[in-house]
């Protein structure tokens, strides 16, 4: 507003939330100028009471993040593999919101710290919301949901001092050899991406696609950045922590504000259903990648982010992703992590923003919602005078059982038990990270990886855990890498 506009501008009068006008923005109501304050100052009481309720509980992890709105456009015919309506036609566009995040840090933590980054996308499709909740890494630290809370605890803070602890991280990792692949990625420069725009996104987990003829496929999603991969070195990332805690959030916001719309190509790895049974390792183990020579990337479409949020709290804090939000043509797989995740996200959203969180504008599906859920805190859309039970004789919604079946597979179950996945020929925890180290990384990548590991292991990690990290972890990923880390940690001289 310029000065002239300011002079003629008449702002609306301040009111309480009930809409009734108030008489001052500055002064509380007192008996005489020196007080005391009066209980009948309902405006002050409302204001303070509302203020102390401004926060909803944080996500249990993936707290610090940012995001934007955009669209997905289909570029290639994928109807041979899925009947998902939003993927049914080349050129079709579906609106979406994407949220990127760090895992372990709280709101206010440094964006550039070494960590995995969340990569979550909510597609507002005609069949309801489809949420693809992935990371910027193709694998994960553990393969059984039972270990997930322990893993997250080990990345967060000590119970007594409230401090982060590398000792706790390495203790967990080195006692959980299945984490070696993900920790190799995390300790490489991919663990410090230059920005959210400059990283890929992966479903990591395996899902099921089903086409109109009922044929099924196992799939992994790869969102490939069109900005190109760019990372920070460890030193750059640590320097940025001192300069700008919100560097990634700011980068995404500024890029979109200046019209530089970031984009990703969605490409899929698609495994014919029957091949899973005879594949040389368990394809549902999220600590493994499927080699591209076995399952090359198949193009699907493009995700573009073109609109910043208008309100960070309402749209980025309150967006609720749920792995269980799948549309016809897409389903879960026997990946145990997916099956565990299908419970946890809805539960977290109900805890954070209540049982009616899907009525919040950012979570509201594009199509209509018809079911028999009713009432509860903050429900503001009601069905009106409709039957509240099923079956009923009064025209209430009815499931179209013939049209919509649950996507599934034949289970050849053994005895009910708590066991590891059945062992496959090539199931081991160290071959894939070893191949990544020797055959995919450049010499510079390898040098940075070794340096990053040594630095990380030097920050308050007890010697016996350092020794285990060398002996039972890095030497198994690659003997030379193990020797190099042992040498740089000063462990070799001691061992002799
Ligand atoms: C059994 C394993 C897992 C459990 C129980 C679990 C649980 C959760 C929960 C409860 C949240 C908070 C949701 C919210 O309040 O909005 C969350 C967030 C998230 N999780 Fe997981 N998770 C698991 C594994 C994974 C894996 C394997 C990935 C990646 C492939 C992943 C990616 C994410 C992301 C990106 C978010 C943040 C979503 C957002 O931006 O709001 N999680 N997870």
């Amino acid at each position: 507003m310029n000065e002239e506009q300011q002079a003629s501008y008449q702002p609306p009068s301040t009111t309480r939330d009930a809409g009734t006008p108030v008489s001052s923005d500055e002064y509380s109501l007192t008996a005489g100028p020196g007080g005391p304050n009066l209980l009948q100052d309902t405006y002050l009481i409302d204001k303070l009471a509302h203020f102390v309720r401004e926060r909803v509980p944080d996500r249990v992890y993936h707290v610090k993040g940012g995001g934007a709105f955009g669209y997905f456009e289909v570029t290639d015919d994928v109807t041979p593999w899925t009947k998902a309506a939003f993927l049914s036609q080349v050129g079709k566009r579906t609106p979406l919101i994407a949220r990127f995040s760090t895992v372990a840090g709280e709101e206010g933590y440094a964006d550039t710290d070494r960590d995995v980054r969340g990569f979550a996308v909510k597609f507002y499709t005609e069949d309801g919301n489809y949420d693809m909740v992935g990371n910027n890494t193709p694998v994960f630290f553990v393969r059984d949901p039972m270990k997930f809370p322990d893993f997250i605890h080990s990345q967060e803070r000590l119970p007594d001092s409230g401090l982060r602890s590398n000792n706790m991280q390495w203790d967990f990792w080195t006692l959980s050899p299945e984490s070696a692949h993900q920790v190799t990625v995390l300790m490489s420069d991919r663990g410090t991406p230059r920005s959210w725009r400059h990283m890929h996104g992966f479903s990591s987990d395996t899902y099921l696609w089903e086409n109109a003829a009922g044929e099924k496929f196992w799939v992994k999603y790869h969102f490939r950045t069109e900005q190109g991969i760019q990372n920070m070195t460890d030193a750059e990332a640590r320097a940025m922590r001192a300069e700008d805690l919100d560097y990634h959030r700011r980068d995404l916001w500024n890029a979109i504000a200046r019209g530089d719309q970031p984009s990703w190509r969605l490409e899929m790895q698609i495994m014919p259903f029957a091949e899973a049974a005879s594949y040389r390792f368990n394809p549902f183990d999220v600590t493994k990648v499927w080699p591209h020579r076995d399952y090359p990337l198949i193009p699907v479409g493009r995700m573009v982010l073109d609109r910043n949020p208008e309100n960070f709290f309402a749209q980025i804090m309150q967006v609720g992703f749920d792995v269980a939000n799948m549309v016809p043509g897409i389903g879960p797989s026997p990946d145990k992590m997916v099956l565990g995740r299908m419970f946890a996200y809805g539960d977290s959203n109900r805890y954070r923003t209540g049982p009616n969180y899907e009525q919040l504008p950012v979570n509201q599906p594009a199509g209509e919602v018809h079911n028999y859920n009713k009432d509860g805190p903050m429900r503001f859309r009601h069905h009106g005078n409709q039957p509240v039970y099923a079956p009923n004789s009064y025209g209430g919604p009815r499931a179209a059982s013939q049209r919509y079946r649950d996507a599934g597979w034949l289970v050849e179950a053994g005895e009910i038990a708590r066991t590891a996945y059945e062992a496959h020929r090539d199931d081991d925890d160290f071959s894939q990270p070893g191949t990544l180290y020797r055959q995919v990384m450049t010499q510079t990548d390898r040098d940075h990886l070794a340096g990053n590991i040594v630095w990380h292991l030097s920050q308050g990690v007890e010697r016996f855990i350092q020794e285990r990290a060398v002996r039972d972890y890095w030497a198994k990923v690659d003997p030379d890498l193990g020797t190099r880390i042992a040498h740089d940690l000063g462990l070799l001289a001691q061992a002799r």
Side-chain angles (χ1 to χ4, degrees):
M1 240 187 268
N2 60 32
E3 274 176 24
E4 204 179 319
Q5 285 168 325
Q6 264 177 9
S8 59
Y9 177 67
Q10 278 299 320
S13 112
T14 312
T15 66
R16 292 176 58 215
D17 279 345
T20 51
V22 299
S23 55
S24 173
D25 293 315
E26 290 176 68
Y27 301 113
S28 47
L29 196 64
T30 52
N37 289 59
L38 297 173
L39 186 60
Q40 70 242 46
D41 189 354
T42 43
Y43 183 44
L44 175 68
I45 292 170
D46 280 2
K47 196 168 179 177
L48 295 181
H50 196 278
F51 169 69
V52 302
R53 289 168 178 78
E54 278 178 8
R55 302 282 173 269
V56 294
D58 279 337
R59 290 163 175 81
V60 61
Y61 76 129
H62 283 280
V63 175
K64 173 89 190 278
F69 294 92
Y71 63 87
F72 183 77
E73 181 167 331
V74 180
T75 54
D76 292 79
D77 179 18
V78 288
T79 54
W81 300 290
T82 181
K83 62 181 179 193
F86 79 107
L87 299 176
S88 62
Q89 262 180 325
V90 172
K92 184 163 185 172
R93 281 192 179 190
T94 300
L96 57 81
I97 182 169
R99 183 175 181 271
F100 309 106
S101 48
T102 45
V103 174
E106 301 84 2
E107 187 63 35
Y109 212 77
D111 281 349
T112 54
D113 268 23
R114 180 170 304 286
D115 203 346
V116 168
R117 301 303 189 282
F119 194 110
V121 186
K122 183 186 285 294
F123 299 85
Y124 301 101
T125 90
E126 60 265 63
D127 279 332
N129 291 344
Y130 171 50
D131 295 353
M132 201 302 308
V133 194
N135 280 334
N136 71 332
T137 61
V139 290
F140 199 70
F141 297 89
V142 294
R143 57 170 73 95
D144 194 300
M146 184 62 94
K147 291 182 79 169
F148 183 77
D150 302 293
F151 160 65
I152 292 296
H153 291 168
S154 75
Q155 307 300 297
E156 294 180 335
R157 291 176 183 275
L158 288 165
D160 53 354
S161 61
L163 293 170
R164 294 280 295 275
S165 158
N166 287 17
N167 193 63
M168 191 161 65
Q169 299 186 21
W170 285 101
D171 192 26
F172 179 88
W173 288 333
T174 54
L175 292 172
S176 305
E178 72 271 31
S179 66
H181 197 174
Q182 175 77 317
V183 177
T184 306
V185 178
L186 175 65
M187 289 294 144
S188 77
D189 287 345
R190 294 257 174 140
T192 48
R194 181 154 300 280
S195 83
W196 295 328
R197 296 181 298 128
H198 294 100
M199 62 188 199
H200 294 331
F202 302 89
S203 65
S204 321
D205 286 304
T206 300
Y207 292 91
L208 181 139
W209 270 12
E210 183 176 10
N211 67 17
E215 291 166 316
K216 293 172 184 175
F217 304 86
W218 305 115
V219 299
K220 281 179 184 281
Y221 295 62
H222 298 243
F223 288 83
R224 311 207 26 113
T225 171
E226 293 194 318
Q227 291 66 243
I229 289 275
Q230 282 184 32
N231 300 311
M232 292 187 181
T233 62
D234 198 53
E236 286 174 322
R238 275 192 272 140
M240 188 53 80
R241 146 188 266 275
E243 200 175 310
D244 185 355
L245 293 172
D246 300 324
Y247 182 74
H248 287 169
R249 191 183 276 179
R250 195 184 314 283
D251 172 87
L252 181 68
W253 176 277
N254 286 346
I256 293 175
R258 68 174 176 262
D260 184 359
Q261 302 171 351
S263 56
W264 287 260
R265 285 189 319 280
L266 173 60
E267 300 180 349
M268 304 297 289
Q269 286 189 287
I270 302 183
M271 176 186 287
F273 187 84
E275 289 181 18
S278 56
Y279 196 53
R280 60 180 192 281
F281 59 83
N282 186 339
F284 305 115
D285 174 353
V286 70
T287 70
K288 302 264 189 314
V289 293
W290 300 349
H292 288 202
R293 66 172 180 280
D294 293 347
Y295 298 103
L297 294 176
I298 294 173
V300 181
R302 243 178 122 233
M303 172 170 99
V304 178
L305 299 182
D306 60 2
R307 182 161 62 90
N308 276 321
E310 292 85 43
N311 185 290
F312 192 86
F313 178 80
Q315 294 166 319
I316 303 300
M317 290 283 197
Q318 292 200 321
V319 62
F321 294 94
D322 186 352
V323 173
N325 284 348
M326 298 186 198
V327 291
I330 301 177
S333 80
D335 179 335
K336 292 182 190 180
M337 293 288 282
V338 171
L339 300 174
R341 296 176 74 195
M342 285 180 69
F343 157 71
Y345 290 70
D347 196 44
S348 174
N349 287 316
R350 282 185 288 272
Y351 165 65
R352 287 186 349 99
T353 45
N356 292 308
Y357 73 95
E358 276 164 322
Q359 293 198 347
L360 291 169
V362 71
N363 297 324
Q364 216 173 290
E368 288 180 20
V369 175
H370 300 284
N371 59 39
Y372 295 92
N373 291 340
K374 69 192 270 280
D375 304 348
M378 298 312 293
R379 190 170 185 101
F380 59 91
R381 296 173 81 216
H382 298 271
H383 299 306
N385 184 20
Q386 283 185 7
V388 290
Y389 55 88
N392 64 74
S393 317
Y394 300 97
R398 194 174 295 171
S401 315
Q402 290 305 314
R403 189 159 164 219
Y404 301 117
R405 285 172 297 104
D406 288 293
W409 56 92
L410 181 70
V411 179
E412 291 172 29
E415 205 175 330
I416 290 180
R418 296 182 187 276
T419 53
Y421 280 118
E422 207 174 326
H424 285 50
R425 185 160 46 93
D426 285 353
D427 277 336
D428 82 278
D429 295 319
F430 298 104
S431 306
Q432 288 206 348
T435 304
L436 174 64
Y437 177 74
R438 287 182 293 271
Q439 294 175 23
V440 182
M441 290 186 177
T442 64
Q443 189 54 45
T444 308
D445 294 335
R446 283 191 284 267
D447 291 346
H448 286 194
L449 173 70
N452 295 341
I453 294 170
V454 168
W455 190 85
H456 209 274
L457 270 168
S458 310
Q459 306 302 305
V461 178
E462 289 201 61
R463 183 145 286 243
F464 80 95
I465 294 180
Q466 290 182 336
E467 285 166 357
R468 189 165 66 208
V470 170
R471 188 187 59 237
D472 298 342
Y473 209 74
W474 296 115
K476 291 186 177 174
V477 170
D478 183 87
D480 288 345
L481 176 63
T483 308
R484 185 170 172 177
I485 293 168
H487 175 269
D488 291 355
L489 284 172
L491 297 176
L492 279 185
Q494 296 236 332
R496 278 196 206 111

